[in-house]
mmCIF file of all heavy atoms in Angstrom:
data_model
loop_
_atom_site.group_PDB
_atom_site.id
_atom_site.type_symbol
_atom_site.label_atom_id
_atom_site.label_comp_id
_atom_site.label_asym_id
_atom_site.label_seq_id
_atom_site.Cartn_x
_atom_site.Cartn_y
_atom_site.Cartn_z
ATOM 1 N N LYS O 28 131.809 139.905 95.591
ATOM 2 C CA LYS O 28 132.674 139.589 96.842
ATOM 3 C C LYS O 28 133.568 140.780 97.115
ATOM 4 O O LYS O 28 133.684 141.190 98.256
ATOM 5 C CB LYS O 28 133.438 138.305 96.588
ATOM 6 C CG LYS O 28 134.252 137.966 97.803
ATOM 7 C CD LYS O 28 135.010 136.668 97.580
ATOM 8 C CE LYS O 28 135.789 136.261 98.808
ATOM 9 N NZ LYS O 28 136.539 134.985 98.601
ATOM 10 N N ILE O 55 121.232 154.692 107.594
ATOM 11 C CA ILE O 55 122.057 153.530 107.248
ATOM 12 C C ILE O 55 122.599 153.657 105.838
ATOM 13 O O ILE O 55 123.775 153.444 105.590
ATOM 14 C CB ILE O 55 121.242 152.192 107.438
ATOM 15 C CG1 ILE O 55 120.989 151.957 108.872
ATOM 16 C CG2 ILE O 55 121.998 151.051 106.711
ATOM 17 C CD1 ILE O 55 119.975 150.866 109.154
ATOM 18 N N ILE O 88 119.576 140.560 87.884
ATOM 19 C CA ILE O 88 120.224 139.448 88.523
ATOM 20 C C ILE O 88 119.509 139.063 89.795
ATOM 21 O O ILE O 88 119.451 137.866 90.212
ATOM 22 C CB ILE O 88 121.767 139.754 88.808
ATOM 23 C CG1 ILE O 88 122.441 139.707 87.454
ATOM 24 C CG2 ILE O 88 122.391 138.772 89.744
ATOM 25 C CD1 ILE O 88 123.801 140.331 87.407
#
Side-chain angles (χ1 to χ4, degrees):
K28 184 177 179 181
I55 290 168
I88 289 167

